[in-house]
Amino acid sequence: MPPAYAATALLLLLAAVLRPQLLSAFLLPLIARQAAPLGLAVIGQSLVMRARSIDLSSGGVIVGVSYILTSGFFPVSDAVAMMMCVGLGLAVGVINGILIVKARASSMIVTLAVAMILLGIVIALSQFRAPGDAPEFLRELARLRVLGIPVPVLVWLAVLVPVALLLRSTVFGRYLDAVGANPQAAALSGIPHLRVIFVGHVASALISVLCGFILVGFVGKGSVTLGQDLALNSLAAAILGGVNFGNGKGGMLGPAVAAFMLTFLFNFLTSLGLGEPGRLMLQGAIIAAAALAYSLNKK
């Protein structure tokens, strides 16, 4: 069983004793809404990790999406700006995939470099036109509820459920498991293993664009720091949810539970008066613990 399940149960028990208001019908949906971007990022991260790869470019994609939507640098309508964001995500996914698959470059180095390049471009452009307010309809969607459930949570589920079914009952899902289990054996058996990795990176980048839409609507403003911790948090959530490099035993439910657990944990610690430095230290400790758990599991 993924560590996220027991950790979530323990965390909810502690909250019920120390901060029961966090479990109220008002705050719990808000925390779930706050967890939606991380939950989406974990889906993309899980796809590439199952194929023994990694994607650290989500922060750069989100910053790019934020700038396109809020700066007004491009004099286009909101719909066209969103299509430009999708094009950005598609370009990043293709570049990551080509460099990793064709050039056989390290996925960690490639995706981290792409994120840094995107961040540098946005910071340079911000000197001429700073990020501004988010489009009104994105802010409205972030606040909207359907049957009491926030729309960002519904978007999260709308991506999570099809991806889970895709991995469980399609040829691509079986190919992904085969590539993760043994890439050499998959290649020798005729499975298009390089294409599987390429598709995983393109899907991860497009999901990062969706994360950017939700984060921009949730915050209401653009920023050059928006979503910068999402890549590492998604990596930690994937491992805590049972998805390791080449291993997807946690399915898609495990990482989703881990994403909610991490978000709830940060809110719980904030309610106890732990400031930003303490939260960052704990965040680093969780990532280190996730890496240690993966190492022990592998042994």
Side-chain angles (χ1 to χ4, degrees):
M1 183 178 293
Y5 293 147
T8 302
L10 178 62
L11 183 60
L12 293 176
L13 182 62
L14 286 174
V17 175
L18 300 176
R19 289 293 185 272
Q21 62 271 24
L22 291 177
L23 303 178
S24 67
F26 175 74
L27 286 180
L28 203 57
L30 293 180
I31 296 175
R33 183 184 70 170
Q34 190 178 348
L38 177 57
L40 287 169
V42 172
I43 295 174
Q45 192 70 263
S46 298
L47 287 175
V48 296
M49 286 180 65
R50 289 167 74 112
R52 300 198 178 196
S53 191
I54 192 172
D55 187 3
L56 299 178
S57 63
S58 57
V61 174
I62 291 171
V63 167
V65 168
S66 167
Y67 189 78
I68 292 173
L69 290 177
T70 66
S71 66
F73 187 85
F74 303 98
V76 295
S77 65
D78 291 339
V80 174
M82 293 183 71
M83 292 304 298
M84 291 174 63
C85 294
V86 174
L88 172 66
L90 185 61
V92 169
V94 169
I95 292 172
N96 286 341
I98 289 176
L99 291 177
I100 293 168
V101 169
K102 295 295 184 182
R104 304 299 176 92
S106 165
S107 58
M108 179 179 295
I109 294 175
V110 167
T111 56
L112 182 60
V114 169
M116 294 174 67
I117 290 171
L118 287 172
L119 181 59
I121 292 173
V122 170
I123 291 176
L125 293 177
S126 298
Q127 297 177 5
F128 302 98
R129 188 183 290 269
D133 293 332
E136 181 61 29
F137 78 96
L138 282 180
R139 284 181 281 173
E140 288 296 329
L141 283 177
R143 292 191 293 262
L144 186 64
R145 295 192 181 200
V146 177
L147 300 177
I149 304 175
V151 167
V153 178
L154 295 177
V155 173
W156 179 12
L157 294 175
V159 177
L160 177 66
V161 173
V163 170
L165 294 176
L166 176 77
L167 296 178
R168 184 179 293 271
S169 57
T170 66
V171 174
F172 177 78
R174 300 187 188 281
Y175 280 177
L176 196 62
D177 288 338
V179 172
N182 193 321
Q184 290 78 17
L188 291 174
S189 63
I191 292 175
H193 65 293
L194 296 180
R195 193 183 309 166
V196 169
I197 298 173
F198 179 86
V199 171
H201 276 280
V202 172
S204 178
L206 291 175
I207 290 174
S208 296
V209 173
L210 191 55
C211 293
F213 290 159
I214 293 177
L215 277 173
V216 168
F218 182 76
V219 176
K221 290 180 178 290
S223 170
V224 296
T225 61
L226 191 66
Q228 288 303 293
D229 59 346
L230 213 58
L232 290 180
N233 282 344
S234 67
L235 180 63
I239 296 175
L240 292 173
V243 177
N244 297 327
F245 295 98
N247 182 348
K249 290 182 179 179
M252 294 308 299
L253 181 60
V257 172
F260 174 79
M261 179 206 75
L262 289 177
T263 307
F264 190 91
L265 175 63
F266 295 149
N267 281 273
F268 178 61
L269 295 175
T270 301
S271 71
L272 294 177
L274 187 67
E276 182 68 12
R279 191 185 73 83
L280 288 174
M281 287 188 287
L282 179 66
Q283 189 174 343
I286 291 173
I287 294 172
L292 180 61
Y294 162 70
S295 177
L296 294 176
N297 248 350
K298 190 175 181 181
K299 288 181 180 180

